[in-house]
mmCIF file of all heavy atoms in Angstrom:
data_model
loop_
_atom_site.group_PDB
_atom_site.id
_atom_site.type_symbol
_atom_site.label_atom_id
_atom_site.label_comp_id
_atom_site.label_asym_id
_atom_site.label_seq_id
_atom_site.Cartn_x
_atom_site.Cartn_y
_atom_site.Cartn_z
ATOM 1 N N THR O 1 -22.172 135.920 175.778
ATOM 2 C CA THR O 1 -22.332 134.449 175.810
ATOM 3 C C THR O 1 -23.311 134.134 174.751
ATOM 4 O O THR O 1 -24.518 134.491 174.825
ATOM 5 C CB THR O 1 -22.701 133.968 177.122
ATOM 6 O OG1 THR O 1 -21.794 134.466 178.175
ATOM 7 C CG2 THR O 1 -22.781 132.508 177.173
ATOM 8 N N ILE O 2 -22.908 133.271 173.755
ATOM 9 C CA ILE O 2 -23.839 133.004 172.540
ATOM 10 C C ILE O 2 -23.918 131.464 172.632
ATOM 11 O O ILE O 2 -23.035 130.757 172.408
ATOM 12 C CB ILE O 2 -23.171 133.503 171.238
ATOM 13 C CG1 ILE O 2 -23.187 134.994 171.324
ATOM 14 C CG2 ILE O 2 -24.050 132.991 170.125
ATOM 15 C CD1 ILE O 2 -22.412 135.521 170.110
ATOM 16 N N PRO O 3 -25.140 130.871 172.917
ATOM 17 C CA PRO O 3 -25.342 129.473 173.075
ATOM 18 C C PRO O 3 -25.587 128.869 171.679
ATOM 19 O O PRO O 3 -26.572 129.177 171.037
ATOM 20 C CB PRO O 3 -26.540 129.471 173.907
ATOM 21 C CG PRO O 3 -27.258 130.651 173.777
ATOM 22 C CD PRO O 3 -26.340 131.706 173.403
ATOM 23 N N LEU O 4 -24.625 127.994 171.312
ATOM 24 C CA LEU O 4 -24.909 127.148 170.093
ATOM 25 C C LEU O 4 -25.242 125.741 170.448
ATOM 26 O O LEU O 4 -25.217 125.340 171.621
ATOM 27 C CB LEU O 4 -23.605 127.163 169.313
ATOM 28 C CG LEU O 4 -22.996 128.488 168.904
ATOM 29 C CD1 LEU O 4 -21.864 128.371 168.056
ATOM 30 C CD2 LEU O 4 -24.151 129.345 168.177
ATOM 31 N N PHE O 5 -25.502 124.844 169.456
ATOM 32 C CA PHE O 5 -25.724 123.478 169.863
ATOM 33 C C PHE O 5 -24.431 122.724 170.106
ATOM 34 O O PHE O 5 -23.755 122.352 169.155
ATOM 35 C CB PHE O 5 -26.432 122.784 168.629
ATOM 36 C CG PHE O 5 -27.179 121.502 168.895
ATOM 37 C CD1 PHE O 5 -28.460 121.490 169.320
ATOM 38 C CD2 PHE O 5 -26.375 120.374 168.862
ATOM 39 C CE1 PHE O 5 -29.097 120.297 169.709
ATOM 40 C CE2 PHE O 5 -26.974 119.074 169.107
ATOM 41 C CZ PHE O 5 -28.365 119.036 169.561
ATOM 42 N N GLY O 6 -24.113 122.578 171.314
ATOM 43 C CA GLY O 6 -22.985 121.850 171.762
ATOM 44 C C GLY O 6 -21.852 122.684 172.332
ATOM 45 O O GLY O 6 -20.967 122.152 172.908
ATOM 46 N N ARG O 7 -21.961 124.042 172.195
ATOM 47 C CA ARG O 7 -20.860 124.878 172.843
ATOM 48 C C ARG O 7 -21.534 126.284 173.032
ATOM 49 O O ARG O 7 -22.567 126.553 172.511
ATOM 50 C CB ARG O 7 -19.623 124.950 171.959
ATOM 51 C CG ARG O 7 -19.876 125.748 170.741
ATOM 52 C CD ARG O 7 -18.504 126.071 170.127
ATOM 53 N NE ARG O 7 -18.374 126.733 168.891
ATOM 54 C CZ ARG O 7 -18.480 128.153 168.809
ATOM 55 N NH1 ARG O 7 -18.405 128.861 169.773
ATOM 56 N NH2 ARG O 7 -18.483 128.635 167.594
ATOM 57 N N ASN O 8 -20.794 127.113 173.830
ATOM 58 C CA ASN O 8 -21.030 128.491 173.956
ATOM 59 C C ASN O 8 -19.955 129.279 173.423
ATOM 60 O O ASN O 8 -18.734 129.042 173.712
ATOM 61 C CB ASN O 8 -21.247 128.813 175.483
ATOM 62 C CG ASN O 8 -22.447 128.238 176.060
ATOM 63 O OD1 ASN O 8 -23.539 128.225 175.386
ATOM 64 N ND2 ASN O 8 -22.407 127.807 177.333
ATOM 65 N N GLY O 9 -20.263 130.310 172.581
ATOM 66 C CA GLY O 9 -19.192 131.220 172.172
ATOM 67 C C GLY O 9 -19.285 132.317 173.308
ATOM 68 O O GLY O 9 -20.150 132.894 173.676
ATOM 69 N N MET O 10 -18.025 132.560 173.891
ATOM 70 C CA MET O 10 -17.906 133.596 174.916
ATOM 71 C C MET O 10 -16.676 134.577 174.555
ATOM 72 O O MET O 10 -15.829 134.201 173.986
ATOM 73 C CB MET O 10 -17.543 133.011 176.246
ATOM 74 C CG MET O 10 -18.708 132.066 176.818
ATOM 75 S SD MET O 10 -18.292 131.346 178.523
ATOM 76 C CE MET O 10 -18.441 132.949 179.344
ATOM 77 N N GLY O 11 -17.008 135.778 174.798
ATOM 78 C CA GLY O 11 -15.933 136.785 174.522
ATOM 79 C C GLY O 11 -16.126 137.960 175.471
ATOM 80 O O GLY O 11 -17.154 138.395 175.889
ATOM 81 N N TYR O 12 -14.943 138.636 175.553
ATOM 82 C CA TYR O 12 -14.849 139.893 176.358
ATOM 83 C C TYR O 12 -14.482 141.036 175.518
ATOM 84 O O TYR O 12 -13.418 141.092 175.077
ATOM 85 C CB TYR O 12 -13.860 139.713 177.521
ATOM 86 C CG TYR O 12 -13.725 140.742 178.592
ATOM 87 C CD1 TYR O 12 -14.544 141.953 178.553
ATOM 88 C CD2 TYR O 12 -12.810 140.626 179.646
ATOM 89 C CE1 TYR O 12 -14.459 142.939 179.482
ATOM 90 C CE2 TYR O 12 -12.622 141.650 180.577
ATOM 91 C CZ TYR O 12 -13.403 142.888 180.621
ATOM 92 O OH TYR O 12 -13.352 143.743 181.460
ATOM 93 N N VAL O 13 -15.425 141.988 175.357
ATOM 94 C CA VAL O 13 -15.148 143.168 174.582
ATOM 95 C C VAL O 13 -14.657 144.283 175.525
ATOM 96 O O VAL O 13 -15.421 144.580 176.571
ATOM 97 C CB VAL O 13 -16.391 143.609 173.787
ATOM 98 C CG1 VAL O 13 -16.155 144.971 173.046
ATOM 99 C CG2 VAL O 13 -16.869 142.605 172.886
ATOM 100 N N TYR O 14 -13.514 144.898 175.336
ATOM 101 C CA TYR O 14 -13.014 145.818 176.311
ATOM 102 C C TYR O 14 -12.245 146.878 175.523
ATOM 103 O O TYR O 14 -11.898 146.879 174.414
ATOM 104 C CB TYR O 14 -12.076 145.068 177.331
ATOM 105 C CG TYR O 14 -10.914 144.427 176.791
ATOM 106 C CD1 TYR O 14 -9.626 145.144 176.722
ATOM 107 C CD2 TYR O 14 -10.926 143.171 176.005
ATOM 108 C CE1 TYR O 14 -8.463 144.512 176.252
ATOM 109 C CE2 TYR O 14 -9.834 142.651 175.625
ATOM 110 C CZ TYR O 14 -8.546 143.327 175.609
ATOM 111 O OH TYR O 14 -7.497 142.763 175.090
ATOM 112 N N SER O 15 -12.014 147.974 176.453
ATOM 113 C CA SER O 15 -11.224 149.085 175.936
ATOM 114 C C SER O 15 -9.687 148.891 176.463
ATOM 115 O O SER O 15 -9.438 148.626 177.519
ATOM 116 C CB SER O 15 -11.771 150.456 176.587
ATOM 117 O OG SER O 15 -10.844 151.420 176.373
ATOM 118 N N SER O 16 -8.807 149.012 175.513
ATOM 119 C CA SER O 16 -7.458 148.903 175.759
ATOM 120 C C SER O 16 -6.954 150.061 176.716
ATOM 121 O O SER O 16 -5.856 149.980 177.336
ATOM 122 C CB SER O 16 -6.525 148.878 174.560
ATOM 123 O OG SER O 16 -6.826 150.095 173.771
ATOM 124 N N GLU O 17 -7.740 151.142 176.916
ATOM 125 C CA GLU O 17 -7.318 152.077 177.828
ATOM 126 C C GLU O 17 -7.592 151.680 179.428
ATOM 127 O O GLU O 17 -7.028 152.259 180.198
ATOM 128 C CB GLU O 17 -8.203 153.356 177.564
ATOM 129 C CG GLU O 17 -7.898 154.078 176.264
ATOM 130 C CD GLU O 17 -8.941 155.271 176.104
ATOM 131 O OE1 GLU O 17 -9.272 155.848 177.120
ATOM 132 O OE2 GLU O 17 -9.216 155.572 174.921
ATOM 133 N N TYR O 18 -8.381 150.584 179.613
ATOM 134 C CA TYR O 18 -8.647 150.211 180.838
ATOM 135 C C TYR O 18 -8.240 148.798 181.090
ATOM 136 O O TYR O 18 -8.390 148.402 182.382
ATOM 137 C CB TYR O 18 -10.206 150.395 181.061
ATOM 138 C CG TYR O 18 -10.607 151.826 181.047
ATOM 139 C CD1 TYR O 18 -11.047 152.470 179.837
ATOM 140 C CD2 TYR O 18 -10.659 152.625 182.289
ATOM 141 C CE1 TYR O 18 -11.406 153.785 179.878
ATOM 142 C CE2 TYR O 18 -11.095 153.922 182.122
ATOM 143 C CZ TYR O 18 -11.339 154.500 180.939
ATOM 144 O OH TYR O 18 -11.875 155.851 180.902
ATOM 145 N N SER O 19 -7.801 148.084 180.197
ATOM 146 C CA SER O 19 -7.447 146.654 180.446
ATOM 147 C C SER O 19 -6.421 146.200 179.358
ATOM 148 O O SER O 19 -6.457 146.588 178.205
ATOM 149 C CB SER O 19 -8.700 145.740 180.465
ATOM 150 O OG SER O 19 -8.200 144.306 180.557
ATOM 151 N N GLY O 20 -5.575 145.378 179.848
ATOM 152 C CA GLY O 20 -4.648 144.829 178.883
ATOM 153 C C GLY O 20 -5.246 143.404 178.454
ATOM 154 O O GLY O 20 -6.073 142.834 179.074
ATOM 155 N N PRO O 21 -4.637 142.746 177.472
ATOM 156 C CA PRO O 21 -5.106 141.454 176.946
ATOM 157 C C PRO O 21 -4.893 140.330 177.961
ATOM 158 O O PRO O 21 -5.884 139.518 178.050
ATOM 159 C CB PRO O 21 -4.227 141.161 175.582
ATOM 160 C CG PRO O 21 -3.086 142.149 175.780
ATOM 161 C CD PRO O 21 -3.480 143.270 176.549
ATOM 162 N N GLU O 22 -3.944 140.325 178.708
ATOM 163 C CA GLU O 22 -3.790 139.215 179.731
ATOM 164 C C GLU O 22 -4.921 139.363 180.777
ATOM 165 O O GLU O 22 -5.464 138.320 181.280
ATOM 166 C CB GLU O 22 -2.341 139.290 180.409
ATOM 167 C CG GLU O 22 -1.202 139.042 179.423
ATOM 168 C CD GLU O 22 -0.880 140.247 178.590
ATOM 169 O OE1 GLU O 22 -1.391 141.263 178.977
ATOM 170 O OE2 GLU O 22 0.029 140.161 177.740
ATOM 171 N N GLU O 23 -5.087 140.599 181.331
ATOM 172 C CA GLU O 23 -6.095 140.754 182.363
ATOM 173 C C GLU O 23 -7.476 140.430 181.774
ATOM 174 O O GLU O 23 -8.290 139.754 182.436
ATOM 175 C CB GLU O 23 -6.031 142.220 182.744
ATOM 176 C CG GLU O 23 -6.977 142.601 183.841
ATOM 177 C CD GLU O 23 -7.061 144.091 184.219
ATOM 178 O OE1 GLU O 23 -6.242 144.838 183.531
ATOM 179 O OE2 GLU O 23 -7.776 144.568 185.080
ATOM 180 N N ALA O 24 -7.734 140.809 180.548
ATOM 181 C CA ALA O 24 -9.109 140.548 179.932
ATOM 182 C C ALA O 24 -9.251 138.947 179.782
ATOM 183 O O ALA O 24 -10.337 138.463 180.061
ATOM 184 C CB ALA O 24 -9.214 141.311 178.601
ATOM 185 N N GLU O 25 -8.214 138.390 179.288
ATOM 186 C CA GLU O 25 -8.302 136.801 179.125
ATOM 187 C C GLU O 25 -8.583 136.210 180.460
ATOM 188 O O GLU O 25 -9.297 135.203 180.552
ATOM 189 C CB GLU O 25 -7.051 136.389 178.447
ATOM 190 C CG GLU O 25 -7.110 134.837 178.186
ATOM 191 C CD GLU O 25 -5.937 134.190 177.444
ATOM 192 O OE1 GLU O 25 -5.241 134.996 176.734
ATOM 193 O OE2 GLU O 25 -5.674 133.039 177.622
ATOM 194 N N LYS O 26 -7.818 136.606 181.396
ATOM 195 C CA LYS O 26 -8.003 136.008 182.860
ATOM 196 C C LYS O 26 -9.370 136.208 183.316
ATOM 197 O O LYS O 26 -10.037 135.254 183.838
ATOM 198 C CB LYS O 26 -7.030 136.642 183.744
ATOM 199 C CG LYS O 26 -7.147 136.181 185.161
ATOM 200 C CD LYS O 26 -6.166 136.830 186.132
ATOM 201 C CE LYS O 26 -6.354 136.266 187.586
ATOM 202 N NZ LYS O 26 -5.281 136.984 188.498
ATOM 203 N N ALA O 27 -10.000 137.402 183.093
ATOM 204 C CA ALA O 27 -11.393 137.614 183.539
ATOM 205 C C ALA O 27 -12.415 136.752 182.808
ATOM 206 O O ALA O 27 -13.364 136.271 183.334
ATOM 207 C CB ALA O 27 -11.687 139.122 183.374
ATOM 208 N N LEU O 28 -12.026 136.637 181.417
ATOM 209 C CA LEU O 28 -12.988 135.783 180.688
ATOM 210 C C LEU O 28 -12.935 134.230 181.053
ATOM 211 O O LEU O 28 -13.990 133.683 181.170
ATOM 212 C CB LEU O 28 -12.660 135.924 179.229
ATOM 213 C CG LEU O 28 -13.363 135.123 178.187
ATOM 214 C CD1 LEU O 28 -14.973 135.378 178.189
ATOM 215 C CD2 LEU O 28 -12.834 135.195 176.786
ATOM 216 N N ARG O 29 -11.789 133.795 181.290
ATOM 217 C CA ARG O 29 -11.658 132.368 181.638
ATOM 218 C C ARG O 29 -12.274 132.130 183.059
ATOM 219 O O ARG O 29 -12.886 131.110 183.238
ATOM 220 C CB ARG O 29 -10.092 132.033 181.802
ATOM 221 C CG ARG O 29 -9.504 131.882 180.397
ATOM 222 C CD ARG O 29 -8.059 131.380 180.491
ATOM 223 N NE ARG O 29 -7.421 131.299 179.165
ATOM 224 C CZ ARG O 29 -7.639 130.231 178.325
ATOM 225 N NH1 ARG O 29 -8.355 129.276 178.619
ATOM 226 N NH2 ARG O 29 -6.999 130.285 177.190
ATOM 227 N N GLN O 30 -12.078 133.069 183.900
ATOM 228 C CA GLN O 30 -12.773 133.041 185.198
ATOM 229 C C GLN O 30 -14.282 132.934 185.049
ATOM 230 O O GLN O 30 -14.956 132.047 185.801
ATOM 231 C CB GLN O 30 -12.359 134.193 186.124
ATOM 232 C CG GLN O 30 -12.839 134.063 187.561
ATOM 233 C CD GLN O 30 -12.543 135.293 188.411
ATOM 234 O OE1 GLN O 30 -11.838 136.190 188.029
ATOM 235 N NE2 GLN O 30 -12.697 135.254 189.638
ATOM 236 N N ALA O 31 -14.884 133.653 184.200
ATOM 237 C CA ALA O 31 -16.297 133.711 183.951
ATOM 238 C C ALA O 31 -16.714 132.392 183.363
ATOM 239 O O ALA O 31 -17.827 131.833 183.603
ATOM 240 C CB ALA O 31 -16.700 134.919 183.199
ATOM 241 N N ALA O 32 -15.935 131.862 182.474
ATOM 242 C CA ALA O 32 -16.258 130.636 181.746
ATOM 243 C C ALA O 32 -16.234 129.368 182.548
ATOM 244 O O ALA O 32 -16.872 128.348 182.336
ATOM 245 C CB ALA O 32 -15.333 130.425 180.435
ATOM 246 N N GLY O 33 -15.320 129.444 183.626
ATOM 247 C CA GLY O 33 -15.169 128.383 184.553
ATOM 248 C C GLY O 33 -14.288 127.214 184.107
ATOM 249 O O GLY O 33 -13.464 127.407 183.194
ATOM 250 N N PRO O 34 -14.312 126.011 184.705
ATOM 251 C CA PRO O 34 -13.279 124.999 184.469
ATOM 252 C C PRO O 34 -13.299 124.526 182.945
ATOM 253 O O PRO O 34 -12.247 124.059 182.462
ATOM 254 C CB PRO O 34 -13.703 123.862 185.389
ATOM 255 C CG PRO O 34 -14.465 124.575 186.519
ATOM 256 C CD PRO O 34 -15.121 125.759 185.850
ATOM 257 N N ALA O 35 -14.402 124.652 182.404
ATOM 258 C CA ALA O 35 -14.515 124.143 181.077
ATOM 259 C C ALA O 35 -13.601 124.874 179.915
ATOM 260 O O ALA O 35 -13.256 124.363 178.995
ATOM 261 C CB ALA O 35 -15.963 124.319 180.409
ATOM 262 N N ALA O 36 -13.122 126.062 180.460
ATOM 263 C CA ALA O 36 -12.242 126.847 179.655
ATOM 264 C C ALA O 36 -10.762 126.711 179.853
ATOM 265 O O ALA O 36 -9.941 127.230 179.219
ATOM 266 C CB ALA O 36 -12.643 128.311 179.713
ATOM 267 N N ALA O 37 -10.439 125.724 180.727
ATOM 268 C CA ALA O 37 -9.079 125.675 181.290
ATOM 269 C C ALA O 37 -7.966 125.434 180.173
ATOM 270 O O ALA O 37 -6.969 126.165 180.178
ATOM 271 C CB ALA O 37 -8.992 124.547 182.239
ATOM 272 N N ASP O 38 -8.294 124.540 179.244
ATOM 273 C CA ASP O 38 -7.230 124.255 178.269
ATOM 274 C C ASP O 38 -7.469 124.752 176.877
ATOM 275 O O ASP O 38 -6.994 124.388 175.823
ATOM 276 C CB ASP O 38 -7.113 122.714 178.074
ATOM 277 C CG ASP O 38 -6.618 122.106 179.414
ATOM 278 O OD1 ASP O 38 -5.771 122.818 180.113
ATOM 279 O OD2 ASP O 38 -7.105 121.004 179.759
ATOM 280 N N LEU O 39 -8.485 125.785 176.769
ATOM 281 C CA LEU O 39 -9.052 126.326 175.461
ATOM 282 C C LEU O 39 -7.940 127.433 175.037
ATOM 283 O O LEU O 39 -7.456 128.160 175.762
ATOM 284 C CB LEU O 39 -10.326 126.821 175.519
ATOM 285 C CG LEU O 39 -11.333 125.781 175.961
ATOM 286 C CD1 LEU O 39 -12.834 126.414 176.042
ATOM 287 C CD2 LEU O 39 -11.509 124.701 174.972
ATOM 288 N N GLU O 40 -7.769 127.461 173.690
ATOM 289 C CA GLU O 40 -7.048 128.638 173.143
ATOM 290 C C GLU O 40 -7.763 129.756 172.968
ATOM 291 O O GLU O 40 -8.932 129.747 172.404
ATOM 292 C CB GLU O 40 -6.407 128.143 171.774
ATOM 293 C CG GLU O 40 -5.561 129.192 171.126
ATOM 294 C CD GLU O 40 -4.999 128.863 169.805
ATOM 295 O OE1 GLU O 40 -5.240 127.622 169.400
ATOM 296 O OE2 GLU O 40 -4.354 129.623 169.193
#
């Protein structure tokens, strides 16, 4: 979580041996909360 002036950069760094992209994106969106609902 990287706080900028007006937004937060958020990202999930993971191993493809233990998670797929859909699972990782779901976990990231859950951590980010409602503000991430419609974000690409």
Side-chain angles (χ1 to χ4, degrees):
T1 304
I2 298 175
L4 305 182
F5 195 91
R7 75 168 175 89
N8 289 322
M10 297 187 68
Y12 185 0
V13 176
Y14 63 96
S15 168
S16 59
E17 295 179 26
Y18 294 89
S19 177
E22 295 82 7
E23 182 183 358
E25 181 177 337
K26 181 180 178 181
L28 178 63
R29 289 187 182 279
Q30 184 175 6
D38 299 320
L39 301 178
E40 181 180 357

